[in-house]
Amino acid sequence: MSQKTLRTVHLVYGIALSLLLLVTAVLFVTSAVGIYQSGSRPFSRESISAAFQSIAIPVYLSIAGIAGGALLSLFLPLHSGKTTAMRDDLDTLRRLERRLGRHAESREPVIRIAIRVGAAVISVALGIYPALLFLDPSRFTLENVNGSVVNAVIPALVWAATVIVLATISSLLCTHSVRREIALCKAAIAEGGATAKGGAESAPSRLRKHKPALLFTVRIVLAALAVVLIVLGVLNGGAADVLGKAIRICTECIGLG
Amino acid sequence: MKFFKKIGAWFSAHRPTKRRIIQLYAALLTNANLKGFGSGKIYQGKLKFLCAPGLNCYSCPGASAACPLGALQNALASSGKTIPYYIFGIFLLFGFLFGRWICGFLCPFGLIQDLLHKIKTPKIRKNRFTRILSYFKYVLLVVFVVILPLIYAMDALDFPLPAFCKYICPSGTLLGAVGLLSSEANSPMLAMLGPLFTWKFCLLVVFIVGSIFLYRFFCRFFCPLGALYGLFNRISLLGMKVDEKSCTDCGICVGKCQMDIRRVSDHECITCGDCIDVCPTGAITRRGPKILLPPNEIGGRTKGASVKESDELFPGTKPLPKKTKIARAIAAILLLALLGGALYYYNFVDGRPVKPNTIGGDETTLGDESTAGDPSGSNGDGTPGDDPKPLPPPLGNKVGDLCYDADLPLAFTDGTISVTDTRGKITVLNFWGEWCGPCKHELIFEFPSIEETYGDAVQVIAVHSVLSFDKETAQSWVEKNMPADSSIIYAVDVGDEDYCRKLGGGFAWPMTLILDENGVILFAHTGEVKFEGDLKPVIDAALAD
């Protein structure tokens, strides 16, 4: 079988399996919500099994599809394609600027950094509001759980979505156009911007040049601090608190209330 | 012969990588309490004060250690009482030693995502948007792991809220909830399912489907633990290293990597080593302890040398010295011994003995079986009675059973109270703990309504867990949060949670029983109860009868 045919087979199989898995996932979610909304509490193993019985066929088909995909990969493997390079544009820019004899570090204007940091801080601060709104324990009563959940969740989700969109847009806007600067550097080099000091360097400094002694010192300090904190924690009862919590089933933590 | 050679070659080409073997080893060591999956009970021994480095819920039946993220949230929630030195020290230690090497090699949930990603579907590649989205986990870290537990700790109500665990963590849902509920012994817990579990289940499905289409969907965008460990990536002992002199900035390593890295070994790098294979100049190596590496392996490969497979833990261009081979063999034996020892210890040596029938060491005194009456309805001489009495309910802890009697020590004063002392009244028996958020919530918001509505007709007895019972702390909480003239009687459990197991029939808090005037159980529920929805209908019906 030629690689092209094999690629087509894998692609078609993959798409079909993806659709099947998505449909199964949607059915799982709707069944879970349906069980909860049916209100037939307390739930039992039998009632839950009966509710999920209706989606048994898609589940079995999904399992079969996954197994089939595994067999396809094992016995008719696809040779992996060429790895596409993804340059870190900032490093490319630094390298080009070094060749031009400019400042080694490309610095963003301070105002851009301030906007980005401000957007991040505001996102976190605003993000707390929907979390508190949603998590207010006095809001939920079992009697009107449908109404109060909807009334509480929708505004919280709208708020959270707004925050995420604002943060994303501000982050995108604040990223300065490195590609444009790279184009300008390449044009300058082509016009005869000669190599200057530092231009002989063929590779940019990928990591900050931590002096080995500094790195060693930081590690020793961290190790010592970690040991001291652990010992203090054992002495002040912190370790016992961890034990006390860990040996009890935290029904809250696993979503059982 | 050729056929067998082909089979051998096929197995050799498809053998698991060393990284996968380490992941499986770590998953097994982290869940060494295998008998817990069968019995449906979590490990409750002393070793659980240790923290596993990866995301493994401590409510998982197999969990052999505590979850660091859950421990951090609870420590922050209790930071008013105890400064959380221990958990801070644990994070520093793991971060400085391993960084995000934990994500790539030790995290069980990471292994689950890796395996899910192998399912044969088209994949969504990383792009600029996923790079931005990768910072969302820092928002979750700050808001759900740090700020919310602190806010609720400082709140006047003072009940802990591990916000990330409660509302988001898929490890808790999959390994904890599903792990526990899959056991027949935990069927009563199904009664606790509600909106919270529905939300977490739907979220779990989203994370599972997301992991199929996007590499490490949860790790990249949502995991606060990875966010924390990523801060240590540059300085951790284990990690990746790029030889600046050999590197030509071709960008193939970044292209090959499926995480949202900008460069190898930044805060997104999980040190999986996939980039080592593809680097054309061999500039990328693993950063590891020098004790096992001779000097000529530290600086990376000689330019132009052949590329070693990425699953080698310590790649090198020259044959390994004999000392290194011996050291590796010893390390492998020690690690296997550790795993074998852990499996033996957790499953055969340290199992907290379950003593459901022992109260005060006497198995026979529990319950007044004479009150059950003569089930035969006879006159005592073998002849049937003229007026056969109805069969009394059996002693037990299910609805319809006669509740066992027990002498409960009072929590804050001397003396005891017996369950039979309240015969003639409706009795609400509640099992709680000062460390339990839902327990405190229902005591504050639900139980006072009982006294307001029914007065002396209903008696509430709140039995505190014996584990970590601190009289002063519990009493101080009660005095601060409960009405001063409350008629609730506070008792405390004994032994190995003897009353909780025998009377309540379970081992999760909170638990509530409602007994009628004769001590017959009308209502038994594990989990938080509501006055209007759960208690009032039962009490009204009992009083009407």
Side-chain angles (χ1 to χ4, degrees):
Chain A
M1 199 183 284
S2 69
Q3 277 298 306
K4 196 175 174 185
T5 312
L6 206 54
R7 213 173 282 278
T8 309
V9 166
H10 277 254
L11 182 65
V12 169
Y13 190 93
I15 291 171
L17 184 58
S18 305
L19 291 171
L20 180 62
L21 288 172
L22 284 170
V23 165
T24 307
V26 169
L27 288 173
F28 252 112
V29 168
T30 49
S31 296
V33 174
I35 291 171
Y36 161 64
Q37 284 189 327
S38 70
S40 56
R41 300 182 75 203
F43 300 112
S44 65
R45 202 170 290 277
E46 291 74 27
S47 66
I48 291 173
S49 300
F52 278 113
Q53 202 66 37
S54 56
I55 62 167
I57 292 175
V59 169
Y60 293 141
L61 283 175
S62 299
I63 294 170
I66 292 168
L71 291 171
L72 188 65
S73 297
L74 284 174
F75 294 108
L76 290 174
L78 201 60
H79 294 301
S80 54
K82 199 176 166 184
T83 304
T84 311
M86 275 179 81
R87 282 187 187 78
D88 182 343
D89 291 335
L90 278 176
D91 276 347
T92 304
L93 180 61
R94 284 187 207 116
R95 184 163 51 90
L96 292 171
E97 287 182 333
R98 213 176 282 119
R99 282 184 65 187
L100 282 171
R102 289 184 193 167
H103 198 284
E105 292 285 331
S106 168
R107 298 222 179 270
E108 288 184 78
V110 172
I111 188 74
R112 286 186 193 270
I113 297 172
I115 290 173
R116 208 188 300 191
V117 169
V121 168
I122 291 169
S123 305
V124 169
L126 289 178
I128 297 172
Y129 176 70
L132 282 174
L133 189 73
F134 182 59
L135 297 176
D136 185 353
S138 60
R139 279 186 168 270
F140 297 102
T141 61
L142 278 175
E143 289 173 15
N144 300 316
V145 68
N146 285 334
S148 67
V149 166
V150 169
N151 289 339
V153 167
I154 287 183
L157 284 178
V158 169
W159 191 269
T162 308
V163 166
I164 290 171
V165 166
L166 281 174
T168 306
I169 290 172
S170 63
S171 181
L172 285 170
L173 288 174
C174 291
T175 306
H176 71 291
S177 178
V178 173
R179 291 178 190 276
R180 194 173 60 222
E181 293 189 40
I182 286 173
L184 290 172
C185 281
K186 284 182 176 175
I189 290 170
E191 282 173 14
T195 56
K197 55 185 175 183
E201 223 172 302
S202 60
S205 166
R206 187 163 289 278
L207 295 173
R208 277 192 204 140
K209 287 185 178 169
H210 295 293
K211 291 178 185 172
L214 176 64
L215 200 57
F216 182 76
T217 308
V218 166
R219 284 175 175 165
I220 290 290
V221 166
L222 276 181
L225 192 59
V227 170
V228 165
L229 284 176
I230 289 171
V231 169
L232 280 176
V234 170
L235 292 174
N236 85 340
D241 287 344
V242 169
L243 172 66
K245 191 65 186 173
I247 58 175
R248 295 182 186 89
I249 293 173
C250 178
T251 54
E252 245 189 331
C253 302
I254 57 179
L256 294 185
Chain B
M1 202 59 191
K2 262 189 183 176
F3 174 74
F4 288 112
K5 276 188 179 174
K6 266 192 175 176
I7 298 283
W10 185 87
F11 274 109
S12 183
H14 291 92
R15 72 181 192 278
T17 59
K18 280 188 184 173
R19 178 172 161 241
R20 190 68 74 225
I21 292 171
I22 293 172
Q23 283 180 301
L24 289 167
Y25 172 92
L28 192 54
L29 188 63
T30 316
N31 291 284
N33 186 44
L34 297 175
K35 71 175 187 219
F37 290 110
S39 64
K41 294 189 183 350
I42 63 172
Y43 171 67
Q44 294 172 298
K46 292 173 189 166
L47 287 185
K48 226 167 178 184
F49 80 97
L50 297 169
C51 284
L55 195 70
N56 196 71
C57 183
Y58 50 68
S59 293
C60 171
S64 55
C67 173
L69 207 57
L72 175 64
Q73 290 167 81
N74 284 298
L76 288 171
S78 312
S79 51
K81 295 174 213 138
T82 314
I83 301 173
Y85 293 128
Y86 178 73
I87 196 63
F88 286 165
I90 289 287
F91 270 105
L92 268 183
L93 189 67
F94 285 154
F96 138 76
L97 284 176
F98 305 117
R100 280 199 91 173
W101 188 84
I102 293 170
C103 301
F105 284 78
L106 301 181
C107 181
F109 202 70
L111 171 64
I112 290 171
Q113 290 174 85
D114 280 347
L115 296 176
L116 284 171
H117 196 67
K118 286 191 168 298
I119 293 174
K120 191 73 192 160
T121 60
K123 306 299 178 190
I124 300 173
R125 281 182 57 87
K126 64 180 182 181
N127 48 56
R128 204 172 173 197
F129 183 69
T130 61
R131 172 94 198 163
I132 293 169
L133 209 57
S134 70
Y135 288 100
F136 182 65
K137 56 181 178 285
Y138 291 95
V139 177
L140 287 182
L141 171 67
V142 171
V143 174
F144 279 83
V145 176
V146 177
I147 292 178
L148 284 177
L150 280 175
I151 286 177
Y152 275 76
M154 290 185 289
D155 190 276
L157 297 174
D158 185 28
F159 54 84
L161 178 67
F164 179 80
C165 294
K166 182 171 179 178
Y167 292 103
I168 299 174
C169 184
S171 176
T173 315
L174 181 65
L175 301 175
V178 174
L180 285 169
L181 294 175
S182 58
S183 170
E184 281 289 337
N186 294 321
S187 293
M189 281 189 177
L190 289 167
M192 298 167 69
L193 299 186
L196 179 61
F197 184 77
T198 307
W199 159 253
K200 287 200 80 184
F201 184 80
C202 294
L203 210 54
L204 175 66
V205 172
V206 168
F207 287 135
I208 287 174
V209 172
S211 298
I212 293 172
F213 295 101
L214 288 112
Y215 182 70
R216 291 248 178 169
F217 177 67
F218 176 76
C219 294
R220 284 160 73 188
F221 308 128
F222 300 98
C223 184
L225 198 56
L228 262 178
Y229 288 145
L231 301 174
F232 294 91
N233 248 10
R234 296 292 183 103
I235 55 171
S236 59
L237 285 185
L238 291 180
M240 304 300 289
K241 187 173 178 175
V242 179
D243 181 7
E244 295 168 13
K245 289 176 186 167
S246 307
C247 175
T248 58
D249 188 30
C250 63
I252 290 178
C253 51
V254 178
K256 173 70 176 176
C257 181
Q258 293 175 287
M259 299 294 287
D260 298 285
I261 63 170
R262 294 200 75 143
R263 58 183 64 85
V264 173
S265 192
D266 69 4
H267 60 278
E268 292 295 324
C269 175
I270 59 170
T271 64
C272 63
D274 283 353
C275 50
I276 297 177
D277 264 347
V278 296
C279 179
T281 60
I284 305 173
T285 53
R286 290 192 184 276
R287 194 169 67 225
K290 291 179 183 163
I291 195 167
L292 290 178
L293 288 172
N296 62 345
E297 286 194 27
I298 300 296
R301 287 182 288 264
T302 307
K303 198 171 176 178
S306 60
V307 176
K308 291 274 282 191
E309 287 179 11
S310 66
D311 60 358
E312 283 291 333
L313 203 55
F314 301 108
T317 55
K318 298 182 181 179
L320 292 172
K322 198 174 177 185
K323 278 185 191 172
T324 305
K325 286 185 184 176
I326 294 171
R328 284 197 192 182
I330 293 172
I333 291 167
L334 287 174
L335 287 170
L336 281 173
L338 174 66
L339 180 62
L343 287 170
Y344 177 70
Y345 181 80
Y346 281 99
N347 292 285
F348 298 104
V349 175
D350 183 7
R352 278 167 62 88
V354 174
K355 294 178 284 193
N357 295 322
T358 303
I359 291 181
D362 188 345
E363 292 197 24
T364 58
T365 57
L366 186 61
D368 184 1
E369 300 202 12
S370 64
T371 62
D374 181 359
S376 67
S378 68
N379 289 331
D381 57 359
T383 58
D386 295 325
D387 188 11
K389 295 174 190 164
L391 286 174
L395 284 168
N397 48 38
K398 305 277 184 301
V399 173
D401 291 343
L402 184 68
C403 184
Y404 290 105
D405 188 16
D407 285 327
L408 303 159
L410 293 174
F412 309 130
T413 55
D414 293 330
T416 60
I417 177 156
S418 170
V419 176
T420 51
D421 286 348
T422 58
R423 290 279 168 88
K425 286 185 186 183
I426 307 291
T427 306
V428 177
L429 204 56
N430 176 250
F431 294 90
W432 73 293
E434 190 274 331
W435 34 261
C436 166
C439 302
K440 291 198 277 193
H441 186 261
E442 67 179 9
L443 270 177
I444 294 170
F445 288 105
E446 309 301 328
F447 283 99
S449 304
I450 298 175
E451 192 177 357
E452 286 163 15
T453 310
Y454 302 107
D456 292 336
V458 179
Q459 177 61 59
V460 179
I461 304 176
V463 186
H464 194 289
S465 161
V466 71
L467 294 171
S468 299
F469 172 65
D470 182 74
K471 184 177 166 182
E472 281 180 24
T473 309
Q475 189 169 10
S476 143
W477 184 87
V478 166
E479 285 168 2
K480 189 175 153 197
N481 294 287
M482 301 301 289
D485 57 351
S486 170
S487 64
I488 296 177
I489 297 173
Y490 293 94
V492 67
D493 209 331
V494 296
D496 190 20
E497 299 294 356
D498 293 338
Y499 294 126
C500 181
R501 293 169 198 273
K502 190 69 175 181
L503 273 65
F507 198 67
W509 289 266
M511 260 198 302
T512 305
L513 304 177
I514 299 179
L515 315 179
D516 71 4
E517 292 96 346
N518 301 314
V520 175
I521 299 173
L522 303 173
F523 173 86
H525 181 75
T526 305
E528 194 174 339
V529 291
K530 299 293 178 189
F531 173 70
E532 291 291 339
D534 296 311
L535 305 176
K536 191 169 185 294
V538 176
I539 298 173
D540 284 344
L543 288 173
D545 287 343

